[in-house]
Amino acid sequence: MIQLFHVTKTYPSNSPALVDISLQIDRGQFVFLTGPSGAGKTTLLKLLFREEEPTEGQILFDNQNVTRLNTRGVARLRRRIGLVFQEFKLLPRLTVLENVALAAQVVGMSRKESHIKAYRLLRELGLKGKYDSKPLMLSGGEQQRVAIARALINDPMLVLADEPTGNLDPVMAEETMRVFLKMRETGTTLIVASHNLELIKRYGSRIISLRQGGLVDDLERVTGAKAS
Ligand SMILES: Nc1ncnc2c1ncn2[C@@H]1O[C@H](COP(=O)(O)OP(=O)(O)OP(=O)(O)O)[C@@H](O)[C@H]1O
Ligand SMILES: [Mg+2]
């Protein structure tokens, strides 16, 4: 579903953040992206939803060349991707429920249907009783889970999450991973950048390690064999 061919990304006046990365991710895979701070994890995620463009190389998403999309193409691409990034803040004036439901309404779901779906997701993420709260009344971990619900409400075919469990205690981190795993049963592909080795060991079926912009390891758990 996703293919990278010799992708290099250099930010202006910086050494390369990613160097000659080639890899393929299949539909339904659950991929952990790990590596030390500055390794290029966030950069790789940003290339996939065209927040950044590669300096060299090509990226295919569902056989479409992401690097060649026009504005409408980029919008269409992003509608198929759920994003869990700390910088995509919740809207402070809306309630938790409205924050999640709105993401579905903007792509055409009815108000009623979006609310039903938002309730269900929020409940699964342990936020029952917080539906009518404003985001700023929630803890960091609770806000994080609202952001996860918002990313999942449109049943995206790909979910990109940057340290989604960073603000969560171990119990909630587990709970969140279980919600991710459930999505996987419906064929959703997940790419999670994380430092959390505990969770990576427990849930990652494929673990891609980056170091200084290079791909240093690519481990597939299912077969126990190293992927190319
Ligand atoms: N917008 C930017 N402009 C210039 N340099 C950047 C930018 N974003 C990232 N970099 C640089 O690219 C490199 C990779 O950064 P990236 O954010 O992808 O790392 P990361 O693996 O996500 O790290 P962390 O674990 O700390 O989140 C770093 O050297 C960083 O300084
Ligand atoms: Mg990062």
Side-chain angles (χ1 to χ4, degrees):
M1 184 176 85
I2 297 165
Q3 285 167 290
L4 275 74
F5 299 99
H6 302 287
V7 169
T8 292
K9 172 65 184 177
T10 309
Y11 292 104
S13 69
N14 230 330
S15 51
L18 288 175
V19 188
D20 195 24
I21 302 288
S22 293
L23 57 87
Q24 176 172 337
I25 293 171
D26 297 328
R27 192 175 303 276
Q29 268 192 331
F30 195 174
V31 180
F32 266 100
L33 208 54
T34 189
S37 186
K41 304 181 293 296
T42 301
T43 300
L44 182 52
L45 296 181
K46 286 183 170 172
L47 289 172
L48 295 177
F49 67 101
R50 257 290 292 266
E51 170 84 1
E52 296 287 351
E53 289 184 55
T55 316
E56 280 171 59
Q58 303 292 333
I59 299 174
L60 299 187
F61 180 89
D62 232 12
N63 294 320
Q64 250 192 336
N65 194 329
V66 173
T67 34
R68 296 233 186 91
L69 296 174
N70 58 17
T71 316
R72 273 178 55 195
V74 172
R76 212 176 307 124
L77 169 79
R78 291 190 184 155
R79 273 205 295 277
R80 299 154 84 190
I81 300 178
L83 296 173
V84 185
F85 272 62
Q86 250 140 45
E87 60 257 46
F88 299 135
K89 297 263 185 284
L90 301 167
L91 300 170
R93 288 169 189 279
L94 299 185
T95 65
V96 161
L97 184 78
E98 288 163 343
N99 261 283
V100 177
L102 182 65
Q105 288 167 26
V106 297
V107 297
M109 196 183 285
S110 75
R111 199 179 138 79
K112 186 171 174 206
E113 201 186 337
S114 71
H115 279 207
I116 291 169
K117 214 164 167 191
Y119 277 124
R120 182 168 55 70
L121 272 169
L122 287 165
R123 194 175 56 237
E124 280 176 6
L125 285 157
L127 290 166
K128 210 174 164 188
K130 300 287 182 187
Y131 304 134
D132 297 322
S133 304
K134 296 282 171 64
L136 294 176
M137 294 161 61
L138 304 180
S139 73
E142 288 166 344
Q143 291 180 36
Q144 184 91 315
R145 280 177 279 150
V146 178
I148 291 169
R150 182 181 59 182
L152 302 187
I153 193 162
N154 291 322
D155 300 318
M157 59 189 293
L158 171 67
V159 173
L160 303 177
D162 202 359
E163 284 292 353
T165 58
N167 288 321
L168 305 181
D169 65 42
V171 174
M172 272 328 305
E174 290 274 336
E175 212 44 59
T176 302
M177 295 310 293
R178 270 198 282 276
V179 172
F180 281 153
L181 278 184
K182 217 189 290 174
M183 297 169 21
R184 198 183 156 198
E185 289 164 13
T186 63
T188 310
T189 307
L190 275 141
I191 307 179
V192 178
S194 177
H195 289 285
N196 190 330
L197 282 176
E198 264 308 297
L199 285 183
I200 291 171
K201 280 192 216 134
R202 190 126 24 122
Y203 292 99
S205 56
R206 180 173 175 191
I207 303 168
I208 295 173
S209 308
L210 299 176
R211 187 178 299 261
Q212 293 182 339
L215 199 159
V216 292
D217 216 353
D218 189 348
L219 218 79
E220 266 206 82
R221 191 78 69 73
V222 193
T223 58
K226 276 197 179 191
S228 63

